[in-house]
Amino acid sequence: MQKIANYINGKLVEPHSGKYIDNYNPATGQVYAFIPDSNSQDVSQAISSAKKAFPRWAALQNSERAKWLEKISEGIHTKLEMLAKAESIDNGKPLSLAKAVDIPRARDNFKFYASAIMHFASESHHTQEGMLNFTLRKPIGVAACISPWNLPLYLFSWKIAPALAAGNTVVAKPSEITPMTAYLLSEICVEIGLPAGVLNIVHGLGATTGNEIISSHEIDLVSFTGGTATGAHIAKIIAPKFKKMSLELGGKNPNIIFNDCDFEAAIKTSLNSSFANQGQICLCGSRILVQRGIYEKFKTEFVNQVSQMKVGDPMNDQSRLGAIVSQSHFQKILSYIDLAQQEGGTILTGGKRVQPTGECKDGWFIEPTVIEGLDQQCRTNQEEIFGPVVTIQPFDTEEEAVALANSNEYGLAATVWTTDLNKAHRCAEHIKSGIIWINCWLQRDLRTPFGGMKNSGVGREGGWEALRFFTEPKNVCIKY
Ligand code: NAD
């Protein structure tokens, strides 16, 4: 069985302890590879090599760093098919999704930041005659980049690319649940001869390896994407040290559908925004709010189409939903479906485990599930389930829809379906979330700020925001 290696100081190396963690294929429920169980020695070696590599990397011209990012991007492009297959096996997502979204977006993240760093400029302020301020933006040092399992290579690269482009060196840890494509990325870095220590990838558990990374006094900033509880823990460690941190956390996103929406488009996109990647995208809309005038019509059509979505082998092109990422997450989702029923909810479709025949019979599959009859304050509507489970509820007025959208501790994304431009603008203004989609979902422009409000995080990724995060601004005031 394949053993994944750490990537430290330009080399693929075994963990010091010689210990490994099981890596499961969620579609079969079987172990198919082993992940390094990295300890403090591995982490400190990775951080030292990043520290050593920093001055030279930071001193390169932007155009030279951009060339390295281009090479990584090309390496991903060349291996797109293989990486997509690896992502699908590791995560359980349909191969078609990994091919169309995950891997192309990972490739594009490196390409985008190779170009962005060439256009990045900082402000200058002409204060008065004879007095000029300008902002000098310098790379900071060793960036710790920690990412989750739902969009493994895509979110991993979303941090690493701007960190490197801005001139930092990186110690990165992918999720221990989906480490494979991060490992394959390190193989690409070895193949292209990326200078030693510029990027280090250390595998292992969050509570041990991850915690060692963020607790080190030698790292200079942290970019984290994952659960809100983990984010709070990281903030407790990093905040007293006054280091920069960006936290992209959980969500419980509303999907608001007004009477005057484009009905067909709202149905079609809501199927995707509810169940893409088995509902395991932080931007998925898990609370569907439908205006009373079209509530029954929308519900009937939506439930009808959801019940026809095929769940099964991620390698099969016909599968709209693949497997849930891990057994513990699978059990957590099923327990929320039980809870929803205890709270008085009615399952309109789904709600059960799926057991395909053949190779996938022991895999962790769940039917796409729609639940009705719950009030806004119940746990099912307040807590992040992060699976193929949505609730649906009616509302009467725009004010009520906005209030329902906001009555949650999260504030990552919201979707609004209306053909009334003024209403769309009012909703965008009053809904408390970092991203608002109007009549669309998951459209991507890499220049836009990405991140959440409230318990969904602190800081923004994407475009200039990421390059600002990964640099330290210094104001220089000149009298001339
Ligand atoms: P998680 O918080 O359990 O783990 C995320 C990463 O943090 C993993 O690499 C893990 O090993 C590491 N980690 C865990 N404990 C750590 C510690 N003490 N110190 C350092 N690192 C530690 O999250 P998850 O289950 O992998 O991912 C699912 C969550 O991620 C969901 O809540 C989802 O909403 C969120 N998410 C948010 C965004 C966003 O952009 N806001 C994007 C994707 C996923």
Side-chain angles (χ1 to χ4, degrees):
M1 241 183 276
Q2 184 174 9
K3 268 188 185 169
I4 286 173
N6 284 331
Y7 173 54
I8 297 175
N9 203 26
K11 294 201 172 65
L12 297 173
V13 292
E14 291 186 6
H16 276 93
S17 66
K19 289 188 188 151
Y20 286 82
I21 308 158
D22 290 341
N23 188 24
Y24 287 87
N25 174 343
T28 62
Q30 306 300 316
V31 175
Y32 82 102
F34 298 112
I35 316 157
D37 186 3
S38 306
N39 63 18
S40 55
Q41 266 180 297
D42 303 300
V43 168
S44 94
Q45 220 172 50
I47 294 175
S48 307
S49 68
K51 226 174 146 58
K52 200 166 142 225
F54 175 66
R56 195 174 286 176
W57 181 252
L60 288 182
Q61 291 195 8
N62 288 346
S63 58
E64 293 172 291
R65 288 198 300 274
K67 276 187 198 144
W68 283 112
L69 266 71
E70 293 264 5
K71 282 189 189 177
I72 298 176
S73 175
E74 282 158 20
I76 295 174
H77 181 68
T78 309
K79 297 187 174 186
L80 200 144
E81 294 281 328
M82 182 272 282
L83 287 165
K85 192 164 178 209
E87 199 73 294
S88 169
I89 292 171
D90 212 24
N91 172 278
K93 67 178 67 211
L95 175 61
S96 53
L97 184 69
K99 257 194 219 173
V101 177
D102 290 72
I103 308 303
R105 288 188 176 196
R107 172 199 63 200
D108 294 349
N109 287 341
F110 282 103
K111 199 168 172 61
F112 174 80
Y113 277 106
S115 164
I117 197 63
M118 300 295 291
H119 301 270
F120 188 42
S122 56
E123 316 84 70
S124 76
H125 304 90
H126 187 252
T127 308
Q128 63 196 57
E129 208 170 287
M131 188 74 74
L132 177 73
N133 286 277
F134 72 92
T135 312
L136 194 59
R137 285 195 170 268
K138 305 287 285 178
I140 300 173
V142 178
C145 297
I146 299 184
S147 60
W149 48 255
N150 63 325
L151 302 164
L153 189 62
Y154 169 7
L155 292 178
F156 198 55
S157 56
W158 190 227
K159 301 179 175 308
I160 292 171
L164 293 179
N168 303 280
T169 53
V170 170
V171 173
K173 194 195 88 60
S175 169
E176 60 274 31
I177 300 170
T178 53
M180 189 55 81
T181 47
Y183 166 68
L184 297 170
L185 175 70
S186 59
E187 282 191 345
I188 291 172
C189 294
V190 171
E191 281 163 23
I192 63 166
L194 185 70
V198 165
L199 170 63
N200 302 271
I201 300 176
V202 190
H203 296 270
L205 301 172
T208 52
T209 315
N211 215 52
E212 285 287 346
I213 297 173
I214 54 143
S215 306
S216 164
H217 292 287
E218 305 291 322
I219 55 151
D220 299 294
L221 70 167
V222 177
S223 173
F224 170 79
T225 299
T228 297
T230 316
H233 169 78
I234 292 175
K236 256 191 227 159
I237 293 175
I238 299 299
K241 297 183 190 166
F242 308 111
K243 292 183 179 176
K244 267 181 145 182
M245 62 182 155
S246 160
L247 304 173
E248 300 295 340
L249 310 177
K252 187 76 181 176
N253 309 312
N255 177 8
I256 304 174
I257 294 155
F258 285 101
N259 288 340
D260 62 7
C261 70
D262 174 341
F263 188 81
E264 298 306 322
I267 290 274
K268 187 165 177 251
T269 304
S270 295
L271 291 171
N272 236 350
S273 67
S274 303
F275 301 115
N277 205 37
Q278 299 73 251
Q280 303 166 135
I281 299 180
C282 54
L283 304 167
C284 278
S286 52
R287 296 183 288 141
I288 304 181
L289 310 170
V290 188
Q291 200 162 19
R292 187 116 21 215
I294 58 162
Y295 182 76
E296 288 301 326
K297 183 178 168 206
F298 183 93
K299 182 179 90 177
T300 307
E301 185 56 27
F302 186 67
V303 167
N304 175 34
Q305 293 205 28
V306 172
S307 64
Q308 293 172 42
M309 292 176 95
K310 190 168 161 16
V311 185
D313 188 349
M315 294 295 146
N316 183 340
D317 277 351
Q318 301 304 310
S319 302
R320 278 287 289 274
L321 285 84
I324 301 301
V325 75
S326 68
Q327 188 168 25
S328 63
H329 195 53
F330 167 79
Q331 274 154 358
K332 177 188 152 185
I333 296 167
L334 289 176
S335 78
Y336 267 103
I337 294 173
D338 284 346
L339 174 73
Q341 289 166 283
Q342 286 159 28
E343 289 183 320
T346 304
I347 294 180
L348 301 177
T349 183
K352 292 190 294 299
R353 172 180 195 175
V354 176
Q355 277 189 291
T357 50
E359 218 190 355
C360 297
K361 68 180 182 349
D362 296 322
W364 305 310
F365 296 88
I366 297 180
E367 292 173 331
T369 302
V370 183
I371 303 171
E372 186 188 36
L374 291 168
D375 71 50
Q376 190 46 44
Q377 294 316 316
C378 70
R379 282 183 56 203
T380 310
N381 270 330
Q382 287 294 320
E383 297 175 15
E384 185 185 42
I385 301 173
F386 213 51
V389 180
V390 297
T391 62
I392 183 163
Q393 52 186 318
F395 68 87
D396 289 298
T397 63
E398 179 185 325
E399 292 68 30
E400 190 189 351
V402 170
L404 285 170
N406 288 338
S407 62
N408 192 279
E409 288 181 346
Y410 293 105
L412 186 55
T415 308
V416 177
W417 289 94
T418 177
T419 48
D420 177 341
L421 187 62
N422 290 331
K423 197 195 291 171
H425 278 294
R426 284 193 301 270
C427 287
E429 197 157 322
H430 294 123
I431 294 173
K432 295 191 178 103
S433 75
I435 299 158
I436 315 267
W437 316 99
I438 311 277
N439 299 328
C440 61
W441 180 73
L442 212 64
Q443 295 299 319
R444 196 181 190 221
D445 182 328
L446 297 179
R447 297 167 300 178
T448 60
F450 178 93
M453 296 165 66
K454 305 195 283 185
N455 285 6
S456 292
V458 179
R460 293 291 182 274
E461 297 187 324
W464 302 145
E465 299 285 340
L467 291 178
R468 288 195 189 106
F469 172 72
F470 283 112
T471 51
E472 189 74 63
K474 226 187 250 182
N475 189 68
V476 181
C477 180
I478 308 172
K479 188 170 184 309
Y480 61 92

